[in-house]
Amino acid sequence: MSATKSALIFGAGMTHPGVETRQNQDALFYWKHPERQSIVAGVLDGHGRELGQAAALAARDAFEKRIPALARDNFKEFRADPPAAFQRMFDAAHEAIRERFTKTLQDAGMETKWEDNFLLKRYAGTNAMWQTVSGGTTCTVIVVLDARWLYVANVGDSDCTVATKRLSGAASPVPFEVHSVLSQPSSAEDGGKAADGKPQKEAGEPQNEGGEPKEDVGDTSGGAAGGAGKEKSATELCHKSSPHPSSPDILMAECCAEHSAESIKEFERIRNFRPSKENRNLPELQFVYDAIGYMKNHRSAIFEENKDAPGTFTKTCKGVYHKNVRGDFATLVCTPADARFHDGLAFTRSLGDFYLHTFGVSSQVDVQMVDLSGIN
């Protein structure tokens, strides 16, 4: 490849509440550099009858506030360590929701207090019992650098999909790969080695089948004019593009990590964060299939411990109804029956949802990357 290919970038957005009588709790933002082919965009899907919209709007405002400073430095933070840069943005949005919730409730005549990292409310000037505050938002943010490097960070189940179409005269659409981006140190002190001590593969750096870097075939730096260096975060192949179900002329791939209650990785992560007091092989937070007419904590468990291999689990597949056209079962994570407050969520990571975060729901991002240089 004698020269790096790039594409013109355009953006548009549309949102709808789905049901006309419901409050629209979606939010989105889009920013494009006036000169360079770099953009930042995001979608947020708020949840919680009382504060879902406030969560999505507070997070959106926090992202938009940080973008100009990042752009002035030519996204130096993202070129050095995309996961760390994304996490700082998401942490700021999480804190903005904390502040917005407190102000919104107090403006509505409520008394609030923070206790053990979650927010409580009651009517001001009364001795009413304290109640937990529910609500938060999913968030998926993309950063495109130099019309070539696409980075996607998400918490929750708002999707990002990349697709490429066969051009006229071409035998087939150009395939592409989605890589997970791992935040790793790379400095003079550690010699650019990953945690396992091996030389670190840099984001966007091609490798041969043996895992060794290929000979340099062009600009793989991801840097803009002005001498920005290569990304220093290690990457690993997540999955490859596959044909669209309705057309072999289109290849597509989802570019978001799975944060559903059916993810065994999330089950184990939350178990390690706060195990059950009765069985430490289980998380205290319950992973269940949603069902109409049952209390959340009385629904069918998603994972069942194997009797002949304690500590290992099998998915029960006892879902009751599908939540989307892909046939995914509706699932929940919910607090146990003996919890101080009862709450539930349809995914395992979010912004806001402070009470559920004490059980292991997290605002920690996962980041994926696509090299757009070969995509039509």
Side-chain angles (χ1 to χ4, degrees):
M1 183 169 64
S2 58
T4 300
K5 295 168 61 179
S6 63
L8 293 175
I9 302 294
F10 302 94
M14 181 176 68
T15 179
H16 192 280
V19 179
E20 294 293 346
T21 57
R22 293 181 59 183
Q23 181 188 56
N24 189 343
Q25 297 183 333
D26 299 339
L28 56 86
F29 61 91
Y30 175 83
W31 177 93
K32 180 179 178 182
H33 195 284
E35 298 174 0
R36 303 184 182 94
Q37 284 290 305
S38 297
I39 68 170
V40 184
V43 293
L44 306 100
D45 183 2
H47 51 264
R49 185 176 305 173
E50 184 180 15
L51 291 168
Q53 184 182 67
L57 295 179
R60 180 203 63 186
D61 295 347
F63 283 111
E64 290 183 327
K65 183 178 179 181
R66 291 181 64 87
I67 293 171
L70 293 170
R72 284 195 297 271
D73 204 16
N74 196 20
F75 295 94
K76 182 179 178 180
E77 291 184 38
F78 280 91
R79 299 178 192 278
D81 191 342
F86 271 119
Q87 193 61 60
R88 284 189 285 270
M89 294 180 74
F90 277 64
D91 287 346
H94 192 60
E95 180 60 29
I97 293 173
R98 179 190 297 267
E99 295 172 357
R100 184 73 60 88
F101 279 9
T102 302
K103 183 178 187 305
T104 299
L105 292 168
Q106 290 177 351
D107 288 348
M110 305 292 288
E111 180 183 359
T112 64
K113 69 174 181 177
W114 286 93
E115 183 177 293
D116 298 328
N117 292 319
F118 60 90
L119 181 61
L120 297 174
K121 66 177 182 179
R122 69 180 180 185
Y123 286 105
T126 71
N127 291 321
M129 293 182 62
W130 290 99
Q131 297 177 318
T132 187
V133 175
S134 299
T137 184
T138 69
C139 185
T140 296
V141 176
I142 69 167
V143 172
V144 179
L145 298 180
D146 315 319
R148 178 172 182 184
W149 302 103
L150 167 65
Y151 294 99
V152 184
N154 74 293
V155 294
D157 62 356
S158 293
D159 287 338
C160 173
T161 301
V162 175
T164 179
K165 184 178 181 181
R166 181 181 67 84
L167 296 179
S168 178
S172 62
V174 177
F176 59 93
E177 298 178 342
V178 179
H179 290 257
S180 295
V181 186
L182 313 174
S183 185
Q184 297 281 2
S186 180
S187 64
E189 288 77 14
D190 62 30
K193 294 183 179 180
D196 58 5
K198 296 179 181 179
Q200 186 169 290
K201 176 184 180 292
E202 294 176 344
E205 180 182 339
Q207 290 181 312
N208 59 27
E209 293 181 357
E212 297 299 325
K214 288 183 179 178
E215 183 179 354
D216 187 10
V217 291
D219 175 19
T220 60
S221 69
K230 292 185 179 182
E231 288 87 355
K232 295 180 176 60
S233 293
T235 68
E236 60 183 26
L237 179 64
C238 184
H239 53 267
K240 299 181 179 181
S241 57
S242 58
H244 189 279
S246 64
S247 174
D249 290 337
I250 297 176
L251 292 178
M252 59 183 293
E254 291 188 6
C255 298
C256 285
E258 182 187 2
H259 296 159
S260 81
E262 287 191 298
S263 167
I264 187 64
K265 289 184 178 180
E266 289 296 277
F267 178 85
E268 292 172 344
R269 178 186 66 78
I270 291 177
R271 183 265 315 277
N272 294 338
F273 177 86
R274 185 168 173 174
S276 167
K277 294 183 283 290
E278 288 75 27
N279 180 355
R280 296 188 65 82
N281 290 332
L282 297 172
E284 189 166 1
L285 193 68
Q286 297 192 355
F287 285 62
V288 299
Y289 288 107
D290 196 10
I292 299 172
Y294 290 87
M295 293 182 62
K296 290 181 174 64
N297 49 36
H298 288 170
R299 298 171 186 179
S300 297
I302 296 173
F303 297 103
E304 185 175 67
E305 189 169 13
N306 298 312
K307 294 180 180 179
D308 57 344
T312 66
F313 294 85
T314 300
K315 191 183 298 184
T316 63
C317 298
K318 293 181 180 179
V320 176
Y321 66 94
H322 298 125
K323 65 179 181 180
N324 54 36
V325 296
R326 294 180 303 194
D328 297 333
F329 282 122
T331 59
L332 293 169
V333 291
C334 61
T335 53
D338 62 352
R340 180 181 176 187
F341 303 104
H342 291 165
D343 205 353
L345 193 62
F347 28 84
T348 57
R349 302 197 196 188
S350 71
L351 300 176
D353 296 299
F354 300 103
Y355 182 60
L356 286 168
H357 278 227
T358 67
F359 287 85
V361 173
S362 173
S363 58
Q364 180 73 35
V365 300
D366 280 320
V367 180
Q368 298 186 350
M369 179 199 75
V370 177
D371 182 354
L372 301 175
S373 60
I375 297 181
N376 302 330

